[in-house]
Amino acid sequence: MVKTLFLVLITTALINNVVLSQFLGICPFIGVSKNTKTAAGMGGAVVFVITLSSAVASLLYTFVLEKLHLTYLNTIVFIMVIAFLVQLVELFLKKAVPSLYKSLGVYLPLITTNCAVLGTALTNVQAENDFVTSVVTGLGTAVGFCIAIVIMAGVREKTENNNFPKSFRGTPAVLMTACLMSIAFYGFTAFA
């Protein structure tokens, strides 16, 4: 069981990276990856929200929605859970780390609409994962997001002052970097 959970964690973090192989959560990935400190803060917030929302969504689906035959409401219920958790993160950061709260700006509340968060909860339900597997899948997905956004921020910081041709400056350079990162992460599929 532990070996299987470890494989789930590694697979969701590296092989099926939510950003680089499934292309979910691209908005904060590109928008917040200008600075490694801010990217790490966003990664931490996403780790908290995805992991907790996976746990809560699994419990709600199993013990409420299925029991009451209301499984068709899972998307709406999961969005409400995610919105609540994002509000908790937002309140915590506003009080505890105001500089990070300000640097994340609009991207912090956008975690609510981050398709990676909802996608993980829905994927767990569709795959009929039990509670523990759902939590580990959520944790692995979130760690994968965090790894990808921090690497992207590091690359962007290193290449910020490079002399790119005018047509490649800004977003094109970021998208090319994301493509190269996707290819690099694809190499992990050899171990699957």
Side-chain angles (χ1 to χ4, degrees):
M1 178 71 173
V2 174
K3 184 179 178 182
T4 304
L5 293 175
F6 180 73
L7 288 174
V8 166
L9 183 70
I10 296 300
T11 301
T12 54
L14 299 176
I15 298 168
N16 294 329
N17 186 286
V18 70
V19 176
L20 300 173
S21 70
Q22 299 175 19
F23 306 110
L24 299 175
I26 296 293
C27 178
F29 175 70
I30 292 175
V32 183
S33 63
K34 295 176 185 168
N35 175 309
T36 51
K37 210 172 185 183
T38 306
M42 174 59 89
V46 169
V47 167
F48 175 80
V49 172
I50 288 182
T51 305
L52 234 53
S53 67
S54 294
V56 173
S58 176
L59 292 173
L60 281 173
Y61 188 82
T62 303
F63 296 111
V64 177
L65 297 177
E66 277 189 333
K67 299 285 185 213
L68 298 174
H69 305 290
L70 298 172
T71 55
Y72 60 92
L73 294 174
N74 64 0
T75 303
I76 295 168
V77 171
F78 295 170
I79 289 172
M80 290 187 328
V81 166
I82 292 164
F84 174 74
L85 292 171
V86 169
Q87 288 300 309
L88 287 179
V89 169
E90 200 168 353
L91 290 172
F92 172 77
L93 289 179
K94 194 173 189 178
K95 294 284 184 190
V97 194
S99 60
L100 179 60
Y101 175 77
K102 284 183 181 180
S103 65
L104 289 174
V106 71
Y107 293 102
L108 186 58
L110 280 177
I111 294 174
T112 304
T113 60
N114 185 338
C115 52
V117 182
L118 180 60
T120 303
L122 291 173
T123 300
N124 281 329
V125 167
Q126 290 170 351
E128 298 178 0
N129 290 340
D130 61 8
F131 175 75
V132 175
T133 306
S134 294
V135 172
V136 172
T137 300
L139 178 64
T141 300
V143 167
F145 179 88
C146 189
I147 289 169
I149 197 169
V150 169
I151 290 172
M152 174 62 89
V155 169
R156 286 180 76 174
E157 283 181 352
K158 294 288 184 191
T159 61
E160 184 178 321
N161 296 321
N162 288 1
N163 191 13
F164 287 116
K166 191 175 183 178
S167 60
F168 278 108
R169 290 186 191 141
T171 305
V174 173
L175 293 175
M176 289 298 293
T177 303
C179 289
L180 293 172
M181 286 175 60
S182 294
I183 292 168
F185 272 68
Y186 183 74
F188 289 118
T189 58
F191 302 109

